[in-house]
Amino acid sequence: MPAREWKLRSFITAIMVITTLITVLLVGIAVLLLRLPVIERENQREAQLHADEYAAHVRFMLGALESRLEVLARTHNRLPDAQFEALLEQMAQGTPGIQALYLVTRSGMVIAAGLSRSAEAQRRDILGSDLSATPLFRSALEVRERRWSDLHLSALSGHVTVGLAMPAGTGHVLIAEVPLGAVLDTVRMLAREQAPQLWVLDSRGEVLIETGDGPRRGRANLSGLPIFQAGAPDPARIEFAGRHYHAGVAHSDALEWRFVTLVPAGRENPRIRNTVLAVAMAFGIAILASFLLSPLWARQLAAPLDRIVRQARDTALGVDSRWPRGRIAELNTLTSDLETMAGVMREREQRFSAIFNSSPSPMVVTEHAPRHVCSDTNAAWCALFGWPRDAVIGASGDEVDMWSSTAERDALFARAAREPVREEVWLKRADGRSVLCRVSTRRFEAGGREMIVWSIEDVTSMRQMERELRTLNTELEARVAHRTEALATSNRSLQHALDELERTQHELVRSEKMAALGSLVAGVAHELNTPIGNALMAVSTLHGQAGEFRTAMQAGLRRTDLDALLASVDQASEISQRNLERAAELVTSFKQVAVDQASSQRRRFSLAEVVDEIALTLLPSIKRTPYVLDTDIPADIELDSYPGPLGQALANMINNALLHAFDERDHGRILIAARRDAEDMIGLSVSDDGKGIPAEDLDRIFDPFFTTRMGQGGTGLGLHIAYNAVQNVLGGTISVRSVMGIGTHFEIHLPPVAPVPAAAA
């Protein structure tokens, strides 16, 4: 598509407008790039200065209270109790902000109190109170130095206050309560109308107060903001509720409070908006000025060029006249150059002829006529074909014997007359030797005649090399096919080895299940020894007493002997009955668990009963450890599912906790809990308070043979079997969460009715 033509005056006008706009735009951008970062840094400094000011004022107020309480604590051992209590009363009523002062013994009992006038009526209620459970009291008593509490529950009013505890004398603690509102009101007084927005956060990140029409109203927890995390950027810049702010953060060491001041950042800041608006207005004024002034300057610049263009057109038509001159030096130079152009063009025609004759590429020029008469040829063509130049100039194409085929020659001449030609043909040299040539043609006009220029390139050697390369490629393809067959054979061998490995894995999983059932049998057998042994001992004792009774009968039967025998019979019967019932209960539970795990039959069952049976069968193993297994299963949850795979999954997860979670610990707790989910699913969890699972192992714990105790009793199949039982048999899902040093939580979600049919785990 040809480029659009412009009039010179319009083009100059457009160039001047664009140049002006680009200049003003670049200047505006430079101003913004230089000024905006300065404004942002000033806003950040302003936010931090205000935050530091709030923190310093609160620090000063708390320091004054600490000083008064410290003086009071030093005088405790120097004054009688009555005078010291009067001094407490005087300080509580004479110090603004203090609600109550308590003198507490080591055991936590309040023995003296100083109360504000509004709380004087509660003196009898607070004296003798036990504050031993108060965290602030315990902390000050343990470290024997002053302690602050930002949210302290008042023993007097039950309201949230700010508490200060300080050791007083030997074994006593002096506690001061300052209403939380008094401290916050002091901060609000400092917040001026034009000051940045303020958030005051306690040690847990809860919003205590906030000012201004900020993005947050009411109480909320902001501890998750980036500025409160380790490695926060400096200066701090946050995004909150869809807006950006510069945040200044100051910390109160005593109360663990944070004072956060917010200054709008980016386009939301008034100074930045005004700066951008000023640059935009300057850009608009520049646009208006350029559209008004550019046409005037373009007219002045285009007038002398128009005269030069008219003179150049006359010169091209052969009209010889004087070239115009003006006051612009560059245009006068252009005029002088155009005057010499005609002579230069004649010289270039002669130079073109010399270039054609000395070109290294063989070329020949023919007239487009029925016989294609040769009008010129260069030395390279004569050297390639061996024909002298004089012998071919003026000769037609059919008179020069250089074509291998007459039909091919005529077809090539016909095509060259219609369109450019580029193809390879066999031509003959003057000595009769054939060469393969690439022939290219172009048509052009010269002096009103149609001419064709023929460019010829000898490609005989090139094609010979291509044939040799094709032969080499064929050999390479054969080699690749041979290597491919060898790789296919190797792949078949590897597939066979993989099948063998899968069979071995299935055998190991089955062995692991049988080993678990064997461990269950051994544990229940050990547990049965106790009740059966007790019953046997009671019966043996009764048998001995019966023999003694027979001996006594021979000497004469007495009522006391008969009463003693009956008492022994009752006691032995009660012991035997109780222990045999215990043994029967164990056998019944074991039979149900063993049948479930061995058969994987489907039935309707109570989840609480199945979990209790599993816990009962595992009890012998757990009793030999210092760990505890608890259950929290509602009695109304019933499942139509497979109790055997469910029991296997729970047993494997409990054994996994006993083996890994409590390693080298003298205590631990495992909890099995259940609930109904909102999506009509049953949530079953197994959690422990052990050492946890490393984050890098969480994605691999359900993989077969993955264990951290290889060679120490771990096979890596327990959790894999549990995963398969939940996913493939019970139709549920299983997931895990773990925090190092806190514990591990397995979460199972089961449908009330298992899928039908279900494959064995």
Side-chain angles (χ1 to χ4, degrees):
M1 182 178 180
R4 177 186 176 186
E5 292 186 353
W6 289 68
K7 289 187 176 181
L8 180 61
R9 185 179 301 174
S10 300
F11 184 78
I12 294 175
T13 301
I15 289 296
M16 295 183 67
V17 170
I18 293 173
T19 302
T20 303
L21 296 183
I22 291 177
T23 302
V24 176
L25 180 62
L26 292 178
V27 172
I29 292 175
V31 171
L32 293 177
L33 292 177
L34 295 175
R35 182 57 185 162
L36 294 185
V38 175
I39 296 176
E40 295 280 17
R41 289 193 295 270
E42 292 175 355
N43 291 335
Q44 179 62 41
R45 286 196 297 270
E46 179 185 358
Q48 189 60 48
L49 287 174
H50 282 82
D52 293 338
E53 180 181 353
Y54 291 126
H57 189 84
V58 172
R59 191 180 304 115
F60 175 80
M61 183 185 72
L62 298 179
L65 183 59
E66 284 182 1
S67 299
R68 292 193 175 195
L69 203 62
E70 185 175 1
V71 173
L72 188 61
R74 291 176 180 175
T75 61
H76 170 250
N77 291 334
R78 304 174 185 174
L79 296 176
D81 293 341
Q83 293 184 9
F84 185 78
E85 186 170 9
L87 185 60
L88 288 179
E89 188 76 22
Q90 180 181 358
M91 178 169 288
Q93 296 181 3
T95 304
I98 293 183
Q99 174 179 306
L101 290 171
Y102 309 132
L103 181 63
V104 186
T105 64
R106 177 183 294 272
S107 62
M109 179 179 294
V110 178
I111 60 174
L115 306 179
S116 61
R117 290 184 175 85
S118 60
E120 183 66 29
Q122 297 176 275
R123 174 181 298 279
R124 300 181 64 182
D125 297 335
I126 194 62
L127 291 177
S129 298
D130 184 6
L131 303 184
S132 60
T134 305
L136 179 60
F137 167 77
R138 294 202 307 268
S139 176
L141 190 62
E142 290 173 1
V143 300
R144 300 302 300 170
E145 61 183 30
R146 65 173 178 271
R147 278 286 183 266
W148 281 96
S149 176
D150 58 342
L151 298 179
H152 171 69
L153 193 63
S154 173
L156 182 67
S157 63
H159 297 159
V160 176
T161 64
V162 175
L164 171 61
M166 183 174 297
T170 303
H172 290 73
V173 176
L174 192 62
I175 298 178
E177 293 180 353
V178 180
L180 180 62
V183 181
L184 298 181
D185 289 342
T186 302
V187 177
R188 289 191 183 95
M189 292 173 58
L190 294 175
R192 301 184 299 273
E193 183 177 355
Q194 299 299 325
Q197 301 171 20
L198 169 66
W199 296 345
V200 179
L201 311 180
D202 63 12
S203 58
R204 291 169 295 278
E206 298 288 338
V207 178
L208 298 177
I209 61 172
E210 55 91 16
T211 64
D213 297 329
R216 192 71 184 174
R217 281 291 187 185
R219 292 187 176 272
N221 191 296
L222 304 179
S223 60
L225 290 179
I227 58 175
F228 303 130
Q229 307 301 323
D234 189 21
R237 179 167 174 157
I238 64 172
E239 180 181 358
F240 193 85
R243 301 180 66 182
H244 295 273
Y245 297 90
H246 292 288
V249 183
H251 184 262
S252 173
D253 297 331
L255 297 181
E256 295 296 331
W257 285 1
R258 291 185 178 90
F259 299 86
V260 183
T261 54
L262 303 176
V263 175
R267 291 175 297 178
E268 300 169 357
N269 187 271
R271 296 177 62 188
I272 293 180
R273 285 201 304 269
N274 293 338
T275 302
V276 174
L277 181 61
V279 172
M281 292 179 61
F283 187 75
I285 294 173
I287 292 175
L288 181 62
S290 62
F291 275 106
L292 294 176
L293 298 178
S294 296
L296 300 178
W297 289 106
R299 186 180 299 111
Q300 296 295 325
L301 293 174
L305 286 175
D306 289 338
R307 292 193 294 269
I308 295 174
V309 170
R310 288 195 297 270
Q311 181 58 40
R313 186 182 302 113
D314 293 341
T315 302
L317 296 175
V319 178
D320 190 11
S321 60
R322 183 185 178 91
W323 287 81
R325 297 290 192 279
R327 292 177 294 179
I328 301 176
E330 288 78 2
L331 295 180
N332 293 333
T333 302
L334 175 62
T335 302
S336 300
D337 293 340
L338 291 174
E339 282 181 319
T340 60
M341 187 176 295
V344 172
M345 292 178 64
R346 287 192 295 270
E347 293 177 2
R348 287 182 178 176
E349 290 178 359
Q350 296 173 359
R351 191 178 305 164
F352 171 76
S353 178
I355 292 173
F356 174 77
N357 289 320
S358 60
S359 172
S361 178
M363 290 187 294
V364 61
V365 180
T366 63
E367 294 186 18
H368 176 42
R371 301 178 63 215
H372 287 273
V373 176
C374 177
S375 62
D376 200 358
T377 184
N378 63 359
W381 186 91
C382 296
L384 175 61
F385 291 100
W387 296 89
R389 185 171 184 273
D390 295 339
V392 296
I393 296 297
S396 62
D398 53 1
E399 292 176 348
V400 179
D401 186 17
M402 59 180 297
W403 300 94
S404 300
S405 170
T406 304
E408 187 177 22
R409 178 197 64 190
D410 295 340
L412 189 61
F413 282 172
R415 288 180 55 200
R418 298 190 307 270
E419 60 185 5
V421 174
R422 182 178 178 84
E423 66 179 52
E424 295 181 1
V425 296
W426 285 95
L427 300 178
K428 293 191 298 184
R429 290 168 47 90
D431 56 6
R433 185 167 62 89
S434 297
V435 292
L436 182 62
C437 298
R438 180 185 292 128
V439 178
S440 303
T441 66
R442 287 292 186 274
R443 294 177 56 188
F444 67 95
E445 290 187 2
R449 296 180 298 173
E450 291 188 1
M451 312 291 289
I452 298 176
V453 58
W454 301 71
S455 177
I456 301 172
E457 179 183 0
D458 184 5
V459 295
T460 306
S461 301
M462 184 185 302
R463 294 296 174 261
Q464 178 64 30
M465 294 176 62
E466 289 178 355
R467 285 193 295 272
E468 295 176 357
L469 287 175
R470 281 195 295 271
T471 302
L472 181 59
N473 286 337
T474 303
E475 295 177 357
L476 288 176
E477 289 176 357
R479 295 180 184 177
V480 170
H482 178 71
R483 294 288 178 86
T484 302
E485 179 63 25
L487 288 175
T489 303
S490 299
N491 285 337
R492 287 193 293 270
S493 299
L494 290 175
Q495 184 62 40
H496 177 71
L498 181 59
D499 294 339
E500 290 294 331
L501 183 60
E502 289 179 351
R503 284 195 293 272
T504 302
Q505 177 183 347
H506 293 321
E507 287 299 322
L508 286 175
V509 170
R510 189 177 70 84
S511 299
E512 178 72 12
K513 293 181 181 178
M514 297 305 296
L517 188 57
S519 176
L520 178 64
V521 171
V524 172
H526 180 272
E527 187 67 14
L528 284 173
N529 283 335
T530 300
I532 293 176
N534 292 337
L536 180 60
M537 181 178 65
V539 172
S540 299
T541 303
L542 180 60
H543 182 268
Q545 291 178 349
E548 294 176 357
F549 181 75
R550 290 189 189 96
T551 303
M553 286 179 61
Q554 295 175 0
L557 181 62
R558 293 182 300 175
R559 183 177 183 84
T560 56
D561 294 335
L562 181 60
D563 291 339
L565 177 62
L566 291 176
S568 299
V569 170
D570 291 338
Q571 183 179 8
S573 299
E574 181 183 357
I575 293 174
S576 299
Q577 180 180 0
R578 184 169 60 252
N579 283 276
L580 291 177
E581 287 176 353
R582 172 61 177 166
E585 180 183 354
L586 286 172
V587 171
T588 302
S589 299
F590 167 69
K591 286 173 59 180
Q592 184 60 57
V593 173
V595 169
D596 287 339
Q597 294 194 4
S599 63
S600 295
Q601 291 183 353
R602 178 181 187 135
R603 64 183 176 88
R604 188 170 187 85
F605 59 90
S606 169
L607 180 60
E609 292 179 0
V610 170
V611 172
D612 289 342
E613 290 171 355
I614 296 299
L616 187 61
T617 57
L618 293 176
L619 186 59
S621 299
I622 299 177
K623 286 175 63 176
R624 295 193 297 268
T625 68
Y627 314 130
V628 178
L629 174 61
D630 294 332
T631 60
D632 183 13
I633 311 294
D636 60 342
I637 297 180
E638 291 189 352
L639 297 177
D640 183 2
S641 188
Y642 300 87
L646 176 59
Q648 280 186 341
L650 291 176
N652 285 342
M653 286 188 283
I654 293 171
N655 288 330
N656 185 75
L658 294 175
L659 183 62
H660 299 280
F662 306 128
D663 188 19
E664 299 179 357
R665 291 197 177 193
D666 58 358
H667 68 280
R669 179 173 182 260
I670 302 173
L671 174 63
I672 305 176
R675 69 184 186 283
R676 293 185 183 274
D677 291 345
E679 301 177 356
D680 197 23
M681 296 284 284
I682 304 302
L684 184 62
S685 64
V686 180
S687 58
D688 63 73
D689 57 356
K691 65 181 182 180
I693 302 173
E696 62 271 14
D697 293 342
L698 282 178
D699 294 336
R700 305 171 58 197
I701 62 172
F702 295 117
D703 294 346
F705 309 113
F706 173 76
T707 178
T708 58
R709 296 178 64 88
M710 185 61 69
Q712 304 176 24
T715 64
L717 290 174
L719 292 182
H720 176 64
I721 292 173
Y723 179 85
N724 282 339
V726 173
Q727 295 281 132
N728 301 331
V729 180
L730 304 178
T733 60
I734 182 171
S735 60
V736 61
R737 302 192 310 272
S738 183
V739 178
M740 293 300 293
I742 296 179
T744 302
H745 181 88
F746 288 91
E747 186 73 24
I748 301 175
H749 292 274
L750 300 175
V753 180
V756 179

